[in-house]
């Protein structure tokens, strides 16, 4: 990668992934890594969304679940729309997706990243109590999500304004160039922007959940359901803060006019950004009881549907509306009742003979005993 910054711009940065990289290893490895993260993360987030949708249809939704569903949707959009652009860029080593994608790709990705951080911050106000249905959910959630997305799309607008295509030999590259005349204002903006959309929300969220969890553990003899959900949200916020820190660090480093960071650090930061979206469903599936039970239920439903060709499969596949453990209990109960209905033929014949105690006179083997009794 060898690009000299023009004299009339205050900073120069690639958009949509680092371009003009030398070496076939990077060209092959990076698309494979990004595609693997996209596929695994998309499957995980889709499963989480299906579980939350099922909970709301069954009247088991809550405000926290509504916000976590929005978080999973945002992660899904990042993995399906933003990461493939970087994979194509690393493979082509130049820009081939046109001027519109060049102007909007970083703006759209930053909008989703900011929305993720603010959605997690909004969960601090959400309640863990169940709501009867999705139609009766509090209206503040819809207003909060609308406000979050408006703010998330407004803050990264400079990413769209300063993006442009620049010819580089036979190819073109997509870069962000800020003119010197706007450097003073944008220097102040790039100090406020990361602080307001990343540093402050993450610190406040971590502090809130740490304080809440500490109070719950100290004041209760045993952790309650709300404490478990608080621990899950604390882990989500901590993972998001740690994994997005390199991306925000390199972003601010370049735009404040310092020396350009190493290319390896920039690539590592971008990989961590997409890995963060793939890690969120893993945390929910392993730590959140409702998501884990919903995953078990979906697995049992898929297994029962796949075994429809087997005779008597309807008896084996029990109803799994509440908890996945009910399937095992129903199967055991059915087996026990089946055993009770069965009777060994020999024993049945024996007891039938015992009940039929009337013996005909002609077939009595000891008639003299009957005669003695009659006397």
């Amino acid at each position: 990668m060898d690009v000299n910054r023009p004299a009339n711009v205050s900073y120069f940065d690639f958009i949509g992934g680092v371009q003009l990289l030398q070496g076939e290893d990077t060209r092959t490895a990076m698309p494979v890594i990004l595609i693997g993260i996209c596929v695994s993360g998309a499957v995980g987030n889709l499963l989480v969304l299906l579980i939350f949708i099922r909970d709301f249809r069954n009247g088991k939704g809550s405000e926290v679940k509504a916000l976590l569903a929005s978080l999973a949707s945002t992660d899904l959009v990042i993995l399906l729309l933003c990461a493939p652009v970087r994979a194509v860029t690393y493979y082509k080593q130049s820009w081939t997706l046109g001027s519109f994608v060049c102007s909007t790709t970083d703006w759209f990705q930053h909008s989703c990243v900011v929305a993720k951080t603010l959605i997690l911050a909004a969960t601090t106000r959400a309640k863990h109590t169940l709501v009867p249905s999705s139609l009766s959910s509090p209206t503040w959630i819809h207003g909060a999500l609308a406000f979050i997305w408006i703010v998330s799309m407004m803050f990264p607008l400079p990413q769209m304004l300063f993006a442009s295509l620049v010819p580089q030999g036979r190819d073109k590259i997509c870069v962000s160039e800020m003119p010197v005349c706007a450097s003073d204002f944008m220097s102040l903006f790039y100090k406020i922007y990361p602080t307001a959309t990343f540093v402050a929300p993450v610190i406040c969220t971590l502090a809130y959940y740490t304080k809440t969890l500490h109070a719950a553990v100290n004041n209760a003899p045993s952790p309650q359901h709300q404490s478990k959900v608080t621990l899950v949200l604390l882990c989500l916020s901590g993972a998001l803060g740690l994994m997005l820190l390199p991306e925000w660090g390199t972003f601010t480093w370049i735009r404040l006019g310092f020396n350009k960071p190493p290319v390896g650090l920039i690539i590592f930061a971008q990989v961590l950004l997409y890995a963060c979206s793939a890690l969120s469903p893993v945390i929910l599936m392993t730590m959140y009881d409702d998501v884990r039970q919903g995953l078990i239920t979906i697995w049992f439903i898929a297994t029962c549907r796949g075994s429809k060709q087997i005779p008597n499969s309807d008896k084996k596949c029990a109803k799994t509306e509440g908890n996945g453990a009910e399937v095992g209990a129903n199967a055991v109960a059915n087996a026990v009742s089946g055993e009770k209905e069965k009777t060994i033929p020999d024993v049945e014949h024996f007891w039938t003979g015992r009940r039929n105690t009337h013996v005909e006179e002609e077939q009595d083997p000891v008639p003299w005993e009957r005669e003695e009794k009659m006397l």
Side-chain angles (χ1 to χ4, degrees):
M1 182 183 68
D2 185 16
V3 179
N4 295 322
R5 187 175 69 182
N8 60 341
V9 300
S10 60
Y11 77 81
F12 181 92
D13 186 28
F14 288 106
I15 291 180
V18 182
Q19 300 150 53
L20 303 179
L21 289 173
Q22 302 297 328
E24 291 296 326
D25 295 338
T26 305
R27 179 180 182 181
T28 305
M30 285 303 301
V32 171
I33 293 173
L34 293 178
I35 291 173
I37 293 174
C38 288
V39 173
S40 59
V43 171
N45 284 290
L46 278 175
L47 286 175
V48 170
L49 279 175
L50 288 176
I51 292 169
F52 285 143
I53 291 172
R54 183 176 178 276
D55 286 346
F56 273 95
R57 292 182 63 182
N58 294 336
K60 298 180 181 179
S62 64
E63 297 177 8
V64 171
K65 289 182 180 180
L67 292 175
L68 290 179
S70 301
L71 182 68
S73 302
T74 306
D75 285 331
L76 191 63
V77 170
I78 292 175
L79 293 172
L80 295 181
L81 297 182
C82 299
V85 173
R86 270 68 181 175
V88 172
T89 301
Y90 282 115
Y91 179 75
K92 294 293 185 178
Q93 298 183 352
S94 60
W95 191 259
T96 59
L97 299 176
S99 59
F100 177 77
V101 179
C102 174
S103 301
T104 57
T105 179
D106 267 23
W107 165 79
F108 184 72
Q109 177 171 290
H110 268 256
S111 299
C112 295
V113 171
V114 173
K116 282 182 57 176
T117 307
L118 297 181
I119 288 173
L120 274 177
T123 57
T124 58
R125 187 186 181 278
K127 297 179 181 179
H128 309 279
T129 54
L130 299 181
V131 294
S133 66
S134 59
L135 297 177
S136 59
S137 58
T139 55
W140 77 266
I141 293 181
H142 304 289
L145 289 176
F147 176 77
I148 285 171
W149 277 103
I150 291 174
V151 171
S152 301
M153 291 182 176
M154 293 293 293
F155 261 110
L157 278 178
Q159 300 296 102
M160 185 187 300
L161 298 177
F162 299 137
S164 62
L165 282 175
V166 177
Q168 186 73 18
R170 295 181 178 180
D171 302 321
K172 292 183 178 180
I173 58 176
C174 182
V175 297
S176 178
E177 296 178 336
M178 186 180 67
V180 177
C181 60
S183 60
D184 294 336
F185 173 78
M186 294 309 299
S187 177
L188 177 62
F189 173 79
Y190 283 125
K191 293 176 183 177
I192 299 174
Y193 172 47
T195 304
T197 58
F198 174 71
V199 178
V202 168
I203 291 177
C204 292
T205 305
L206 290 175
Y208 174 83
Y209 286 124
T210 302
K211 180 180 178 181
T212 303
L213 187 64
H214 182 267
V217 171
N218 291 338
N219 297 332
S222 61
Q224 302 296 322
H225 176 70
Q226 184 171 349
S227 301
K228 295 180 180 179
V229 178
T230 302
L231 180 60
V232 173
L233 296 174
L234 177 62
C235 293
L236 278 176
S237 302
L240 182 140
L242 289 176
M243 299 184 77
L244 293 184
L245 183 60
E247 171 66 19
W248 281 105
T250 55
F251 175 84
T252 309
W253 186 347
I254 294 172
R255 279 152 183 78
L256 291 182
F258 300 108
N259 294 329
K260 199 171 185 65
V263 179
L265 179 60
I266 298 175
I267 296 175
F268 176 71
Q270 292 181 1
V271 172
L272 279 185
L273 186 149
Y274 302 118
C276 178
S277 296
L279 181 63
S280 297
V282 176
I283 295 175
L284 291 174
M285 290 178 186
T286 55
M287 299 184 64
Y288 199 178
D289 291 340
D290 292 348
V291 175
R292 186 168 63 250
Q293 292 174 2
L295 185 64
I296 294 173
T297 302
I298 290 177
W299 183 81
F300 272 111
I301 292 174
T303 304
C304 291
R305 288 181 178 178
S307 61
K308 283 184 177 180
Q309 298 178 355
I310 302 176
N312 299 327
S313 62
D314 294 337
K315 296 180 180 179
K316 296 180 181 179
C317 296
K319 188 177 181 181
T320 58
E321 292 295 334
N323 191 346
E326 294 178 0
V327 177
N330 292 334
V332 174
N334 292 335
V336 172
S337 62
E339 291 295 332
K340 289 182 178 180
E341 293 175 359
K342 293 181 180 178
T343 308
I344 301 175
D346 295 339
V347 177
E348 183 180 4
H349 177 71
F350 172 76
W351 284 109
T352 303
R354 294 290 294 174
R355 289 194 298 268
N356 187 16
T357 57
H358 179 69
V359 181
E360 298 293 337
E361 294 181 0
E362 297 178 357
Q363 298 178 357
D364 191 356
V366 283
W368 56 86
E369 293 182 357
R370 182 171 57 81
E371 293 176 357
E372 292 177 356
K373 291 180 180 179
M374 291 177 65
L375 294 174

